[in-house]
Amino acid sequence: MEQQTDDGVSPYRVFTRAEWAERRADTPMTLTPDEVTRVRSLHDRLDIEEVEDIYLPLTRLLSLYVAATQRLFRAQQNFLGTEDSKMPYIIGVGGSVAVGKSTTARVLQALLARWPNVPKVDLITTDGFLYPNAVLAREGLMERKGFPESYDLPGLLRFLSDVKAGRRPTRAPIYSHLVYDIIPNQWVEIDRPDILIVEGLNVLQTGRPPKGGKAIPYVSDFFDFSIYLDADETVLLNWYVDRFLTLRGTAFRDPKSYFHRYATLSDNAAVETATSIWRRINLVNLHENILPTRQRADLILKKEESHLVEQVALRKL
């Protein structure tokens, strides 16, 4: 899974599932089975055992990182003689379509919000910063939806800058997966959280280095910790097709659904359609934009076909 640097040394320490589970130590389980079910996305396999083995050790690690960051922030305030507003800890969650980013983001939010000091933990998805379909259609980008150029990057960067600066409240647009578009004049307000989780396809991407030393921020510049969800391409395709088939009999049946035209497809036609969409759009985006960012993550969670995380790679400090 891991690439090595030029000197042959991996920047990650790799754990088996069992080795990682041992890092839970005495971290308490604070979610019930019903709560775990509610945060699980369609077709994801998430149960109490997965939370205990993978996500409790991760939240224990994050608690150490957050505490260390807060100490550093207070030390800097003392050094500068300032009393800046609190600076939220921002966690990025990236990876391919269908890999389970939403489930990971929601379970982390639920667990982190149950820490003893009860921090305020907010969650946004970068889907809200996609350009509206009217703009994408005008620019010929509907087939590139989810690619970097389909996002209002300046808007996303302004949002993250405002959150990091402690401005209140900040607003993020709302995206509807039913109508496959931004909902006009609707917003989610983020009001000085202790922790903000940012989930999206391209959150770890960078661009070409700026000319002349100009400061050009990337989304990942605002992250204190980043997570990449990984799985083999054939597994991702199977998950995407399975999800498409399920949606064909559920959400696609709603006349308001952007994909309502797929609701009456036969099984074979639905598989062919989903496979075509995957290969034409999602696989290209994975190869060109998403997978190349994997090595930028602080933590890589490698999933097997069972949807369970079987390997964890943690970047060495």
Side-chain angles (χ1 to χ4, degrees):
M1 179 178 71
E2 310 314 327
Q3 298 175 359
Q4 293 185 337
T5 56
D6 292 339
D7 59 4
V9 178
S10 171
Y12 292 93
R13 179 176 176 185
V14 180
F15 299 84
T16 65
R17 181 185 179 91
E19 290 170 340
W20 183 254
E22 292 175 357
R23 269 64 188 176
R24 173 189 173 182
D26 57 353
T27 308
M29 166 56 78
T30 54
L31 300 180
T32 66
D34 285 344
E35 288 171 324
V36 170
T37 299
R38 284 198 293 271
V39 302
R40 183 174 60 214
S41 294
L42 196 65
H43 275 297
D44 276 341
R45 177 182 171 184
L46 182 75
D47 53 23
I48 287 291
E49 184 179 0
E50 181 78 348
V51 175
E52 290 176 343
D53 288 351
I54 303 301
Y55 294 103
L56 283 180
L58 177 52
T59 54
R60 179 185 174 218
L61 176 68
L62 286 171
S63 70
L64 298 173
Y65 281 9
V66 172
T69 301
Q70 290 172 341
R71 288 194 299 270
L72 180 60
F73 181 63
R74 288 192 295 270
Q76 179 174 285
Q77 283 184 312
N78 291 335
F79 176 79
L80 297 174
T82 60
E83 293 185 3
D84 300 325
S85 58
K86 70 178 181 181
M87 183 178 291
Y89 192 89
I90 301 184
I91 301 168
V93 179
S96 170
V97 169
V99 77
K101 298 183 301 300
S102 297
T103 294
T104 291
R106 285 195 295 265
V107 73
L108 284 176
Q109 181 186 27
L111 287 169
L112 295 174
R114 301 286 176 89
W115 284 357
N117 57 344
V118 194
K120 186 174 188 293
V121 185
D122 286 338
L123 166 64
I124 69 148
T125 170
T126 58
D127 288 347
F129 290 92
L130 285 161
Y131 285 116
N133 284 354
V135 175
L136 295 176
R138 185 178 68 236
E139 300 297 326
L141 291 174
M142 283 300 291
E143 285 281 299
R144 303 281 289 179
K145 196 167 186 177
F147 286 65
E149 61 268 29
S150 65
Y151 291 89
D152 176 13
L153 183 58
L156 177 55
L157 291 172
R158 283 194 301 272
F159 168 82
L160 291 172
S161 180
D162 287 346
V163 170
K164 205 67 169 175
R167 297 188 179 97
R168 57 185 307 184
T170 53
R171 301 195 306 178
I174 295 177
Y175 183 84
S176 168
H177 287 277
L178 179 67
V179 300
Y180 196 58
D181 203 355
I182 301 297
I183 303 178
N185 303 315
Q186 290 194 30
W187 311 83
V188 57
E189 287 197 345
I190 305 298
D191 190 4
R192 297 183 66 194
D194 298 290
I195 299 171
L196 175 66
I197 300 171
V198 179
E199 175 255 306
L201 293 172
N202 295 296
V203 294
L204 296 177
Q205 193 182 53
T206 60
R208 292 181 178 178
K211 294 182 179 180
K214 291 183 178 180
I216 299 181
Y218 307 117
V219 170
S220 57
D221 289 342
F222 294 92
F223 295 162
D224 298 286
F225 191 87
S226 55
I227 300 166
Y228 184 95
L229 292 174
D230 194 24
D232 292 340
E233 290 178 14
T234 54
V235 171
L236 290 170
L237 170 60
N238 291 338
W239 291 347
Y240 182 79
V241 171
D242 287 346
R243 187 174 71 179
F244 189 95
L245 291 172
T246 300
L247 290 170
R248 178 193 53 164
T250 53
F252 291 175
R253 292 187 179 276
D254 190 326
K256 296 190 295 293
S257 172
Y258 179 84
F259 298 103
H260 182 61
R261 62 190 180 279
Y262 297 140
T264 57
L265 291 178
S266 66
D267 286 351
N268 289 340
V271 170
E272 290 178 5
T273 299
T275 301
S276 174
I277 294 172
W278 173 263
R279 290 176 176 163
R280 192 176 70 251
I281 300 174
N282 297 316
L283 184 61
V284 176
N285 197 14
L286 176 64
H287 285 169
E288 291 182 357
N289 303 302
I290 302 169
L291 189 58
T293 70
R294 181 176 62 185
Q295 295 297 117
R296 303 191 69 246
D298 296 300
L299 187 86
I300 302 172
L301 299 177
K302 180 64 182 287
K303 288 186 169 185
E304 300 297 329
E305 193 158 10
S306 64
H307 290 271
L308 299 179
V309 174
E310 293 298 335
Q311 191 178 72
V312 179
L314 176 65
R315 181 174 291 280
K316 301 171 185 175
L317 295 179

